[in-house]
Structure formats: C-alpha cells, structure tokens
Amino acid sequence: MKQNELQLRVNFGDTDAAGIVYYPNYFKWFDIAGHQFFRSIGLSPAKLMKEQNIILPLLDVGCTFERPLYYDDIITIKTTAEEVNRKTIKLRHEVFRQDVRTGHGFELRGWVKEENGRMFAVPIPDDVRQLLEEDGVGACVHMNPLLNA
C-alpha cells in the first residue's frame, strides 16, 4: 500500500499546562498528514474538488497515545493507505519522535461527490484504487518542520 512521511515541529501552543502535547493535536496532525498523503500521490483534495467535485470527508477517527511529546519536539508522521474499500479509504498514521513511536491511529475517509448542493458516496475509481494499493512511497512533499498549524 502507498505510504508517505511528514515532519512537523511541536509548537508551544500544542502543549497543556503540564507541558505535554494536548491530545486533540494528534487529530490535527492526522488531518495534515492525510492531506499531504493525498497530495504526494497526485490526489490533491483541492484539485479533486475543483475538477471532479470529489471531497474526502472524515467519517471516523481513532488514536492510541503511547508516550508524551513536548514543546519543540520534531515529529515524523508515517501515513499508509491501510484499506481501500468500495467507497472509503482508511489511512493508518504513526507518530514518531526520532525512532520512538509516541502514538498511532487512523482516519476513515469517504469518496464523496458533491453535486447540486447534495453529497453522496460514490465508488472509488479503479485507477485511484490501484494507485492507493500500489506498494511504495508517495512523492516527497517538502514541508519545513518549523511550520505547523
């Protein structure tokens, strides 16, 4: 299955009063990593919407937290297309500080068409399914690890 990696820096605002990363930030990072994953394989969500009226809404998400992260840590998020079903794509995310995994989780996204103000799930095209199911790494997407939303 297709894979991608993304590095981010933990900002001061990502931490709580105890000085560790506040848990909802993992979900923000999963969202950023998911969008970067799709861009890295030529499926930019903005381009899909503009050219095909396809959106990739989040249907389900989960995370297991294993170790704390702190301000200024550089993290690597490894994203893999774990499952490609008829109308959904499940992305698996693993978060690392150096070689230590600090958490892991998933996003389940729908393949949804927006038309005349309505949204409805449609089958994932065969060429997209094949692209997602190929082994390999998506094109390198350069992102300065000093930047983070």
Side-chain angles (χ1 to χ4, degrees), residues 26-90:
Y26 271 81
F27 299 107
K28 173 182 74 173
W29 297 332
F30 288 176
D31 187 61
I32 292 168
H35 283 257
Q36 288 298 101
F37 170 83
F38 287 115
R39 284 184 197 101
S40 79
I41 61 170
L43 295 174
S44 163
K47 188 175 177 182
L48 285 172
M49 178 60 189
K50 184 177 181 180
E51 295 178 1
Q52 301 178 38
N53 291 338
I54 293 294
I55 58 174
L56 304 170
L58 188 63
L59 304 174
D60 194 9
V61 65
C63 187
T64 300
F65 310 99
E66 298 173 313
R67 291 190 168 48
L69 287 168
Y70 303 96
Y71 169 61
D72 227 23
D73 282 346
I74 301 291
I75 60 172
T76 301
I77 304 166
K78 297 181 180 182
T79 301
T80 305
E82 185 175 69
E83 289 178 21
V84 183
N85 294 309
R86 188 164 178 263
K87 298 179 182 181
T88 61
I89 301 164
K90 186 174 187 180

Side-chain angles (χ1 to χ4, degrees), residues 127-140:
D127 61 325
V128 172
R129 176 182 306 283
Q130 183 178 12
L131 177 65
L132 290 163
E133 291 176 344
E134 285 176 355
D135 284 335
V137 177
C140 181

Side-chain angles (χ1 to χ4, degrees), residues 6-8 32 36 39 140-148:
L6 170 69
Q7 282 193 324
L8 297 171
I32 292 168
Q36 288 298 101
R39 284 184 197 101
C140 181
V141 178
H142 297 285
M143 182 173 230
N144 185 336
L146 299 176
L147 303 176
N148 181 2

